[in-house]
């Protein structure tokens, strides 16, 4: 089948890796002509593009983002509107940057705000035909559309987000609401992406995520999952231990796992109720530690093919060191070029830019 390529920063012997799920040692092929031929390692097999309606489908909440620009939320007199969501942002980036056919499965209330979000999603190049529409009751008692106020950080003041998302339409999405076998089977999807933000919205969204992941894998669709722990989603629902238990369940159905070093080291393992207040220590971000964590996960999860994370050092709100790292079952650990003192315009919303 056709293969999705993950671009890597060029330099020295660094190679760009291609996702292809062949087992055993990575199969290397030369691509291009002459001395500048690029070598690619085959990691994960994806379904042929001609057999699928979509290259990627994201499952998650899409909120209306209100951005006060250079001022603070509490003193703002006007806001610019955007759309955003932890899982949706992946589909939007793959569409706008790489030209992939992307869609989002979410739910919105059918009112003017919901239609505004739909229009913004369309402008991002993401198909809106999979959105589930919920009737508006005139006040939002039964369901609402999520709103996220965000402000940029400056210097030692970090970026700030204030979410208003309780009782949203997507948080009430229940198993059976989406015909996954039709989507992944008859229509065809090469890649499904979801994560801990969507799964953490409610008990029912966790069940929907599990339902979607099982169906996707049954039809040969690659599944990626970002642990993306958000304390606000779990504050009154069991906190970090319950999020860890949910992640432990969902990662059994994942091909590609994305998370922070702390997530990969702790939340996926069994919760020890005898020591709920164990002191927290910063995670070890060394290559050896990342490799050990990934190999430990892979030993417990035979279907897991790739584990990815980032290293980030925050000097100030607008000055970060950044580096990506990924471990593959067939190719071992690879790290990107270190971007020292990377200027950051906005870390909250569509991307770090």
């Amino acid at each position: 089948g056709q293969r999705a390529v993950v671009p890597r920063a060029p330099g020295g012997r660094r190679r760009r890796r291609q996702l292809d799920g062949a087992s055993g040692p990575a199969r290397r092929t030369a691509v291009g002509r002459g001395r500048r031929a690029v070598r690619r390692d085959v990691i994960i097999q994806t379904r042929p593009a001609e057999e699928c309606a979509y290259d990627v489908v994201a499952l998650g909440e899409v909120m209306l983002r209100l951005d006060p620009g250079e001022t603070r939320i509490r003193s703002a007199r006007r806001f610019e509107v955007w759309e955003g969501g932890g899982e949706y942002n992946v589909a939007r980036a793959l569409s706008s940057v790489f030209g992939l056919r992307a869609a989002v499965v979410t739910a919105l209330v059918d009112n003017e705000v919901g239609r505004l979000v739909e229009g913004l999603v369309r402008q991002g190049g993401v198909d809106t035909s999979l959105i589930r529409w919920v009737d508006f009751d005139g006040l939002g008692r039964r369901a609402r559309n999520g709103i996220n106020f965000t402000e940029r950080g400056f210097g030692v003041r970090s970026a700030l987000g204030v979410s208003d998302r309780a009782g949203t339409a997507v948080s009430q999405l229940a198993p059976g609401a989406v015909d996954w076998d039709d989507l992944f089977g008859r229509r065809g999807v090469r890649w499904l992406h979801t994560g801990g933000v969507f799964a953490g919205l409610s008990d029912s969204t966790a069940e929907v995520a599990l339902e979607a992941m099982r169906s996707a894998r049954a039809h040969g669709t690659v599944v990626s999952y970002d642990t993306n722990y958000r304390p606000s989603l779990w504050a009154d629902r069991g906190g970090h231990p319950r999020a860890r238990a949910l992640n432990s369940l969902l990662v059994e159905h994942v091909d590609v796992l994305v998370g922070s070093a702390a997530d990969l080291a702790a939340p996926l393992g069994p919760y020890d109720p005898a020591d709920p207040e164990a002191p927290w220590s910063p995670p070890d971000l060394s290559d050896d530690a990342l490799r050990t964590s990934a190999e430990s996960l892979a030993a417990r999860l035979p279907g897991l093919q790739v584990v990815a994370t980032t290293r980030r050092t925050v000097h100030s709100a607008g000055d970060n060191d950044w580096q990506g790292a990924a471990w593959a079952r067939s190719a071992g650990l690879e790290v990107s070029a270190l971007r020292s003192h990377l200027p950051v315009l906005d870390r909250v919303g569509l991307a770090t830019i």
Side-chain angles (χ1 to χ4, degrees), residues 29 39 136-137 185 230 287 291 339:
T29 57
R39 295 176 65 130
F136 184 43
D137 62 8
R230 302 287 178 85
D287 286 0
R291 185 182 296 106
R339 308 295 182 182

Side-chain angles (χ1 to χ4, degrees), residues 1-351:
Q2 296 190 8
R3 301 172 175 87
V5 177
V6 177
R8 296 286 308 280
R13 299 193 177 194
R14 296 189 181 279
R15 299 179 298 275
R16 187 171 58 180
R17 295 199 177 280
Q18 185 172 21
L19 297 181
D20 191 333
S23 58
R27 179 162 51 92
R28 299 178 178 177
T29 57
V31 179
R33 298 179 179 179
R35 296 180 180 178
R36 294 184 178 272
V38 178
R39 295 176 65 130
R40 294 175 177 174
D41 291 342
V42 177
I43 306 295
I44 294 179
Q45 179 74 41
T46 61
R47 296 172 63 181
E50 61 271 16
E51 295 179 5
C52 298
Y54 301 107
D55 295 309
V56 59
V57 167
L59 170 62
E61 183 170 34
V62 185
M63 295 195 294
L64 184 68
R65 172 185 172 177
L66 300 178
D67 182 354
E70 297 301 323
T71 189
R72 305 200 67 179
I73 294 170
R74 64 176 62 189
S75 58
R77 294 296 179 269
R78 65 184 62 187
F79 294 86
E80 190 170 8
V81 297
W82 303 84
E83 86 286 10
E87 295 83 15
Y88 160 79
N89 294 343
V90 173
R92 190 190 194 283
L94 290 174
S95 172
S96 61
V97 178
F98 297 102
L100 298 186
R101 300 165 299 166
V104 61
V105 176
T106 191
L108 293 169
V109 173
D110 193 358
N111 59 18
E112 294 304 304
V113 176
R115 293 299 174 176
L116 170 60
V117 174
E118 178 192 31
L120 294 169
V121 171
R122 278 207 192 102
Q123 292 174 43
V126 177
D127 190 316
T128 62
S129 65
L130 303 179
I131 294 176
R132 313 291 296 183
W133 290 99
V134 176
D135 290 338
F136 184 43
D137 62 8
L139 285 178
R141 284 195 181 99
R142 291 196 297 267
R144 307 165 56 237
N145 293 310
I147 298 176
N148 187 25
F149 295 82
T150 65
E151 66 180 46
R152 300 175 188 174
F154 185 82
V156 297
R157 190 186 80 217
S158 62
L160 174 66
V162 180
S163 296
D164 184 7
R165 69 196 313 176
T168 58
V170 71
S171 72
Q172 301 175 46
L173 200 63
V178 179
D179 188 343
W180 299 113
D181 289 333
D182 179 72
L183 176 60
F184 296 120
R186 183 184 66 84
R187 303 181 70 178
V189 178
R190 302 177 72 199
W191 196 293
L192 169 69
H193 178 72
T194 190
V197 174
F198 174 74
L201 291 175
S202 67
D203 291 343
S204 68
T205 57
E207 294 174 6
V208 171
L210 180 59
E211 178 185 62
M213 295 159 82
R214 283 174 169 166
S215 177
R217 295 191 97 192
H219 290 285
T221 298
V222 175
V223 176
S224 59
Y225 181 82
D226 187 339
T227 55
N228 216 347
Y229 175 69
R230 302 287 178 85
S232 60
L233 293 177
W234 295 95
D236 60 349
R237 300 179 55 237
H240 201 262
R242 186 145 180 234
R244 179 167 55 186
L246 175 61
N247 282 336
S248 296
L249 171 66
L250 295 180
V251 295
E252 295 180 5
H253 308 279
V254 168
D255 300 289
V256 179
L257 179 63
V258 182
S260 70
D263 284 342
L264 300 180
L268 306 182
Y271 172 53
D272 181 5
D275 191 18
E277 302 298 332
W280 182 88
S281 59
D284 186 348
L285 299 178
S286 68
D287 286 0
D288 287 343
L290 294 175
R291 185 182 296 106
T292 298
S293 294
E295 290 175 350
S296 176
L297 287 169
R300 185 161 57 87
L301 304 167
L304 183 64
Q305 299 298 319
V306 176
V307 178
T309 188
T310 59
R311 294 167 170 148
R312 183 177 293 151
T313 301
V314 179
H315 302 289
S316 71
D319 180 9
N320 290 189
D321 297 342
W322 188 93
Q323 186 176 46
W327 176 93
R329 188 181 292 273
S330 59
L333 181 70
E334 288 282 330
V335 297
S336 72
L338 174 62
R339 308 295 182 182
S340 298
H341 298 286
L342 183 69
V344 176
L345 173 62
D346 186 356
R347 270 192 60 186
V348 182
L350 296 178

